[in-house]
Amino acid sequence: MTDEQERNPAEPLRVGVLGARGRMGLEVCKAVDAAADMELVATVDQGDDLSAVAEAGAEVVVDFTTPDVVMENLRWCVEQGVHAVVGTTGFTEERLEQVRGWLADKPGVGMVIAPNFGIGAVLMMQFAARAARHFESVEIIEQHHPRKLDAPSGTATHTARQIAQARAEAGLGPVPDATKDEVPGARGAQIDGIRVHAVRATGLVAHQEVLFGTTGETLTIRHDSYDRASFMPGVLLAVRAVGDRPGLTVGLDPLLG
Amino acid sequence: MTDEQERNPAEPLRVGVLGARGRMGLEVCKAVDAAADMELVATVDQGDDLSAVAEAGAEVVVDFTTPDVVMENLRWCVEQGVHAVVGTTGFTEERLEQVRGWLADKPGVGMVIAPNFGIGAVLMMQFAARAARHFESVEIIEQHHPRKLDAPSGTATHTARQIAQARAEAGLGPVPDATKDEVPGARGAQIDGIRVHAVRATGLVAHQEVLFGTTGETLTIRHDSYDRASFMPGVLLAVRAVGDRPGLTVGLDPLLG
Amino acid sequence: MTDEQERNPAEPLRVGVLGARGRMGLEVCKAVDAAADMELVATVDQGDDLSAVAEAGAEVVVDFTTPDVVMENLRWCVEQGVHAVVGTTGFTEERLEQVRGWLADKPGVGMVIAPNFGIGAVLMMQFAARAARHFESVEIIEQHHPRKLDAPSGTATHTARQIAQARAEAGLGPVPDATKDEVPGARGAQIDGIRVHAVRATGLVAHQEVLFGTTGETLTIRHDSYDRASFMPGVLLAVRAVGDRPGLTVGLDPLLG
Amino acid sequence: MTDEQERNPAEPLRVGVLGARGRMGLEVCKAVDAAADMELVATVDQGDDLSAVAEAGAEVVVDFTTPDVVMENLRWCVEQGVHAVVGTTGFTEERLEQVRGWLADKPGVGMVIAPNFGIGAVLMMQFAARAARHFESVEIIEQHHPRKLDAPSGTATHTARQIAQARAEAGLGPVPDATKDEVPGARGAQIDGIRVHAVRATGLVAHQEVLFGTTGETLTIRHDSYDRASFMPGVLLAVRAVGDRPGLTVGLDPLLG
């Protein structure tokens, strides 16, 4: 199935979905179904047999399952020569190494494992890391619904770390700040020296703003996510690209280049 | 000069400026000069005699001086029957009472004393206080240049207090917030139970956003101040209005309808 | 049922919903059900008998039906002494007059008819009308999903008209604009002399920004609506208030104090 | 002067300014003066002799003069082996070719000619071009003071063209838009098929927002420029980099990589 030379690009890509009855899986099924260049040929969930995927002739599998079954799924995909796009969480460096090992034995197979399929969020982080070295000041303001348990969000923390690293590589010192008299918390949390503010309000969904400042100007990169469907363009992008990327690709970044 | 019955509205209003060579005073002189319906007839600063104001026939005086001389200036204005618009700081309730006493003896004279002549900032606070009772959630994000010493700003603190009071009057409970796992400071400072975030970045001047949220929607009121000249429309508004408002007016609010 | 003297405020308000199986009606049922101070006692739709409402002892009825049945519904409510909150469209001045006539004969009954129950949108328009007289410049930017047929939106047009009227009353001239060289359309549409820009993009829901500017500062009032549920707080507000407002109330404005 | 092998990086870079008494030139002198790693060794304007630059041992020259004298200045710089950073306008492809010819004969000399030294604006355009291929929808909103003569701004037009080109290269079709009923101008100007809206208001300086949208999410890149000083970080960046970039560099882009 993975021999790209033999693929007829005029035919729709045959896609199977694992975890097809979960929240994300259902969205993936809808999105694949609606894509003109794809065909949803197999949907598998707890209790179903993976062989249905092979019998249906799936070329790419999308896996939104759980950490306890995903490794077995992926080993099976590699053995069968089926490409995989994986949104399931829980990938440690150890697990990634194991996957790389399997793929080494099957040079034609591609796999994309990404913690975040939101194209907007990934580009926001990419642009933030690139802008970081050129601005004296930077702060992050993330905004979410009030049922969220952690503050700041994982995306904000990750963005702050990437910015801090880019600043360090460029030899930038600490962000200027003359604050002498602060009501505790007013200046936000510090993540690797970068100030992060977490706003919570009913009505909000998931939003983040990265504000850069230098003499006389500011640059703001803002991402607004309104619903779960926002991950689908990223999933479809990966489904289309994975066949041309043998081996393991971690994160959506390299596909957005 | 204060007898409004005799004023010919076709003639420009005769304005004197006290503290005319200070930073704010210079701006006031420029603004009065540029206003078609006003004439700058006297400019006084340290070392000059106030009698120049009377000799020039000033109908309204604008005072941007210092706390140690302002009371003497205002007593003189009331005695001379000259209306006054005052941006000088340091007015305690005691001082305001003293001014009210002087004015009681001169029923035709008006005086406007305001801590903030920025029309945008005053309207932002007014609207925020009005919206407060209708939204489950509210947070304040203020943004300033990094040379600022206090965080949050005085305007943000004042806004938070007004919002907290409006919520209490409407019987609203605390803002919903499920945060369990917080990097210290991420959720901002608490001013009377309202979360306030202070952002500092080179390039910024003075900005504030009040974010209200309820089911499925948010309302944002944002004020951006770019330079000192932003106070001038408020000063001119007060100069035009003070003659029709005998007695003491504190703050720009009542003039904004 | 409408004799407020006899109401026991400790008991939940008994609410009936007309058009209960429509898109909005379903949301209203959910919202009433979730409100601690209300009880959903009757749900009526096409084919059902209105008498169910009376039998259930409803004190307030919410009507999200259609222009062809709403008038009959409202006449019945007034006759039965049941207060009504109405979101159905199509109310001409003629229809409002007819409703006023019915209510004149039943002095204890209240009715709220509103074209828009979004508290945020209504406050945005209210604040915009109030700010209008104090700023030299003003423009409106509305942003919606790309399936919308009209540009600008009805809300933007209504806001522009209110602003234009407030400017006229304050004696303000045209907004300053030195544009000499314009690519057609760049400066937006003109609604009563106010520039309105309509942005359309996938991912957006319904958003509007009113930008006011004067020397050195801007004031922005922004409303973001994320889903249909955003109308519910306004509906519940009207349900709670209608019993204390005999006669006809048009629009949410008077309830927002 | 241009032999980088002999440069002692511990010594401040010796900088001369041409057009030193013009608006931009004055800002450049201040910025160079304030930079710890530079020394302002020569300031030249109309009527002064260029030889002062050579005598002062300038390593880099910054030219903010006029189209009628800039070519002579640059030929002289190349002959003298002095690097140049040029913000003067009026560079046609013909002029750039001539400069390339001069530089070909002096392989060690570097020159940066840029129409815009605002780092924020250049990054905004760079990021917009990169994001363009990943989003179904995109629109541009630029906001300026009301004394501006053209609409949309040159930066907005340039951004739109780059976005249109990136979309074409990625095989994207037209942006979705169901508008049927438009008040003329509401949907903005079309630049190569991209909608651009130009807002004008007193109080604004120079601002631009690029809004990208796809299913369930939007990405916004916003640039706010507050004063002329905003070009200085870009000028200093070029002054530091030009010695390591022999030949002609057009635009700030390659230096921000």
Side-chain angles (χ1 to χ4, degrees), chain A residues 117-121 123-124 126-128 130-131 133-135 214-227 229-233 237 255-257, chain D residues 117-121 123-124 126-128 130-131 133-135 214-227 229-233 237 255-257:
Chain A
F117 277 98
I119 287 176
L123 285 176
M124 173 184 63
Q126 215 179 77
F127 294 163
R130 286 173 60 94
R133 84 179 77 169
H134 300 298
F135 289 87
T214 184
T215 313
E217 62 170 349
T218 59
L219 178 71
T220 307
I221 303 167
R222 181 181 172 109
H223 179 241
D224 294 276
S225 174
Y226 298 112
D227 69 39
S230 72
F231 293 119
M232 292 311 123
L237 174 77
L255 310 184
L256 295 176
Chain D
F117 278 98
I119 287 176
L123 285 176
M124 174 185 62
Q126 217 178 78
F127 294 163
R130 285 174 61 95
R133 84 179 78 169
H134 299 298
F135 290 88
T214 184
T215 314
E217 63 170 348
T218 58
L219 178 71
T220 306
I221 304 167
R222 181 181 173 108
H223 178 243
D224 294 276
S225 175
Y226 297 112
D227 70 37
S230 71
F231 294 118
M232 292 310 122
L237 175 77
L255 309 184
L256 295 175

Side-chain angles (χ1 to χ4, degrees), chain B residues 143-218:
Chain B
Q143 311 193 336
H144 285 85
H145 57 82
R147 300 173 309 284
K148 190 169 177 57
L149 298 178
D150 55 327
S153 69
T155 299
T157 301
H158 189 61
T159 311
R161 293 215 165 110
Q162 287 186 303
I163 288 170
Q165 191 186 328
R167 287 177 66 93
E169 285 168 14
L172 290 180
V175 174
D177 182 1
T179 309
K180 283 274 178 304
D181 178 16
E182 181 190 1
V183 179
R187 293 285 293 112
Q190 291 213 50
I191 304 288
D192 290 4
I194 305 300
R195 301 280 180 173
V196 184
H197 309 268
V199 175
R200 297 290 173 265
T202 307
L204 291 174
V205 186
H207 318 260
Q208 181 172 312
E209 206 169 288
V210 186
L211 173 76
F212 292 99
T214 184
T215 315
E217 63 170 349
T218 58

Side-chain angles (χ1 to χ4, degrees), chain C residues 26 72 84 124 144 199:
Chain C
L26 282 168
E72 204 165 330
M124 173 184 64
H144 286 84
V199 175

Side-chain angles (χ1 to χ4, degrees), chain D residues 43-250:
Chain D
T43 62
V44 167
D45 210 308
Q46 232 177 325
D48 302 337
D49 205 286
L50 280 172
S51 59
V53 173
E55 280 156 25
E59 299 165 274
V60 179
V61 141
V62 179
D63 185 304
F64 275 94
T65 59
T66 54
D68 56 316
V69 301
V70 66
M71 292 303 282
E72 204 165 330
N73 290 347
L74 298 187
R75 194 178 51 188
W76 182 89
C77 286
V78 177
E79 280 169 9
Q80 299 289 320
V82 178
H83 309 301
V85 170
V86 187
T88 306
T89 56
F91 277 87
T92 58
E93 193 43 51
E94 224 170 18
R95 286 192 156 201
L96 293 173
E97 262 319 297
Q98 191 163 6
V99 170
R100 278 190 198 98
W102 298 337
L103 285 162
D105 298 335
K106 281 281 204 170
V109 181
M111 197 178 297
V112 175
I113 300 181
N116 191 337
F117 278 98
I119 287 176
V122 171
L123 285 176
M124 174 185 62
M125 286 186 269
Q126 217 178 78
F127 294 163
R130 285 174 61 95
R133 84 179 78 169
H134 299 298
F135 290 88
E136 190 170 271
S137 293
V138 56
E139 304 213 356
I140 297 172
I141 304 141
E142 56 94 328
Q143 310 193 336
H144 285 84
H145 57 82
R147 300 174 309 284
K148 191 168 176 56
L149 299 178
D150 54 327
S153 70
T155 298
T157 301
H158 188 61
T159 311
R161 294 216 164 108
Q162 287 186 304
I163 288 170
Q165 192 186 326
R167 286 178 67 94
E169 284 168 15
L172 290 181
V175 173
D177 182 1
T179 310
K180 282 272 178 307
D181 178 16
E182 181 192 0
V183 180
R187 292 286 293 112
Q190 291 213 51
I191 304 288
D192 291 4
I194 304 301
R195 300 280 179 173
V196 183
H197 309 267
V199 175
R200 298 290 173 266
T202 307
L204 293 174
V205 186
H207 318 260
Q208 182 172 311
E209 208 170 288
V210 188
L211 173 76
F212 292 99
T214 184
T215 314
E217 63 170 348
T218 58
L219 178 71
T220 306
I221 304 167
R222 181 181 173 108
H223 178 243
D224 294 276
S225 175
Y226 297 112
D227 70 37
R228 198 169 295 130
S230 71
F231 294 118
M232 292 310 122
V235 169
L236 298 188
L237 175 77
V239 167
R240 287 184 189 105
V242 67
D244 294 332
R245 305 185 67 95
L248 179 61
T249 301
V250 178

Side-chain angles (χ1 to χ4, degrees), chain A residues 106-187:
Chain A
K106 281 280 201 170
V109 182
M111 197 178 296
V112 175
I113 299 180
N116 190 337
F117 277 98
I119 287 176
V122 171
L123 285 176
M124 173 184 63
M125 285 186 270
Q126 215 179 77
F127 294 163
R130 286 173 60 94
R133 84 179 77 169
H134 300 298
F135 289 87
E136 191 169 89
S137 292
V138 57
E139 304 213 356
I140 297 172
I141 304 141
E142 57 93 327
Q143 310 193 337
H144 285 84
H145 56 83
R147 301 174 308 285
K148 191 169 177 55
L149 299 177
D150 55 325
S153 69
T155 299
T157 302
H158 189 61
T159 311
R161 294 215 165 108
Q162 288 186 303
I163 288 170
Q165 191 185 326
R167 287 178 66 93
E169 284 168 16
L172 290 181
V175 173
D177 182 2
T179 309
K180 282 274 177 305
D181 177 16
E182 181 191 0
V183 179
R187 291 286 293 111

Side-chain angles (χ1 to χ4, degrees), chain C residues 118-196:
Chain C
I119 286 176
V122 171
L123 285 175
M124 173 184 64
M125 286 185 270
Q126 215 178 80
F127 294 163
R130 284 174 61 93
R133 84 180 78 170
H134 299 298
F135 290 87
E136 189 170 272
S137 293
V138 56
E139 304 212 355
I140 298 172
I141 304 143
E142 55 93 330
Q143 311 194 336
H144 286 84
H145 57 81
R147 300 175 308 285
K148 191 169 176 55
L149 299 178
D150 55 326
S153 70
T155 299
T157 301
H158 189 61
T159 311
R161 293 215 165 110
Q162 287 186 304
I163 289 170
Q165 191 185 327
R167 287 176 66 93
E169 284 167 15
L172 289 181
V175 174
D177 182 1
T179 310
K180 282 274 178 304
D181 178 16
E182 181 191 0
V183 179
R187 292 286 293 113
Q190 290 213 52
I191 306 287
D192 290 3
I194 305 300
R195 300 281 179 172
V196 183

Side-chain angles (χ1 to χ4, degrees), chain B residues 28-114:
Chain B
V28 173
C29 291
K30 272 202 291 185
V32 168
D33 224 46
D37 60 342
M38 298 182 191
E39 191 177 349
L40 180 62
V41 297
T43 63
V44 167
D45 210 310
Q46 232 175 328
D48 303 336
D49 205 287
L50 280 173
S51 59
V53 172
E55 283 156 23
E59 298 166 274
V60 179
V61 142
V62 180
D63 186 303
F64 275 94
T65 59
T66 54
D68 55 317
V69 302
V70 66
M71 291 303 280
E72 203 165 330
N73 290 347
L74 298 187
R75 195 178 49 188
W76 182 90
C77 286
V78 176
E79 282 169 10
Q80 300 288 321
V82 178
H83 309 300
V85 170
V86 187
T88 306
T89 57
F91 276 86
T92 57
E93 194 43 51
E94 228 170 13
R95 285 193 157 199
L96 293 174
E97 263 318 297
Q98 192 162 7
V99 170
R100 277 190 198 101
W102 298 336
L103 285 163
D105 299 335
K106 280 278 202 172
V109 181
M111 196 178 298
V112 175
I113 300 181

